[in-house]
Amino acid sequence: TNAFAWGTLNILGQTVQLRDGNYDNSTSFGPGAQYVGGLIGAEVNYANKVVNNIFGAFLAVNIYYDPDLLINAYLLGKTYDFAGGLGQLKPDPTPVPPSVFLLGSGLLGLGLLGWRRKRSG
């Protein structure tokens, strides 16, 4: 989860048909997923919330994109259905890693220690 497998997917001027690689005629697994950081060239119909140049086949395959990237601003951080109705383009924001909170608390502690020394000295 939250591991964008592709940095940027460029489908500008193309039509894409997605098919879940786990699909066969005897078994059906849950819907597949592809994580992309940036998506260039999705032809979005904003009124109908549909991407016109991405089609799903057989089982639904969802594409998750990072709504925090400037390259994806045109997607407005919203969910869109694929043409043909199988699968969706969905935002998946990158969470702040716990290490950022650990670093922040360490810096806050050092700042308080310096303030305390300066105040007592």
Side-chain angles (χ1 to χ4, degrees):
T1 60
N2 298 320
F4 295 109
W6 293 358
T8 301
L9 175 60
N10 186 345
I11 60 171
L12 190 63
Q14 300 179 52
T15 299
V16 178
Q17 185 170 18
L18 300 173
R19 179 173 187 232
D20 188 341
N22 292 322
Y23 178 83
D24 65 35
N25 293 327
S26 62
T27 356
S28 68
F29 298 92
Q34 179 64 53
Y35 291 82
V36 299
L39 179 61
I40 299 171
E43 295 173 5
V44 179
N45 180 328
Y46 296 102
N48 296 328
K49 294 188 177 181
V50 172
V51 178
N52 294 323
N53 62 335
I54 303 177
F55 297 85
F58 303 110
L59 290 178
V61 177
N62 296 324
I63 296 179
Y64 294 90
Y65 68 93
D66 186 349
D68 299 328
L69 293 179
L70 184 59
I71 198 169
N72 295 328
Y74 75 102
L75 297 171
L76 308 175
K78 299 190 185 262
T79 298
Y80 301 94
D81 292 328
F82 294 153
L86 294 173
Q88 292 183 316
L89 180 62
K90 297 181 172 190
D92 187 34
T94 306
V96 177
S99 59
V100 171
F101 294 113
L102 185 60
L103 175 66
S105 63
L107 291 173
L108 181 62
L110 287 172
L112 288 174
L113 183 62
W115 175 77
R116 186 174 153 198
R117 285 185 181 178
K118 186 176 180 180
R119 187 172 172 232
S120 66

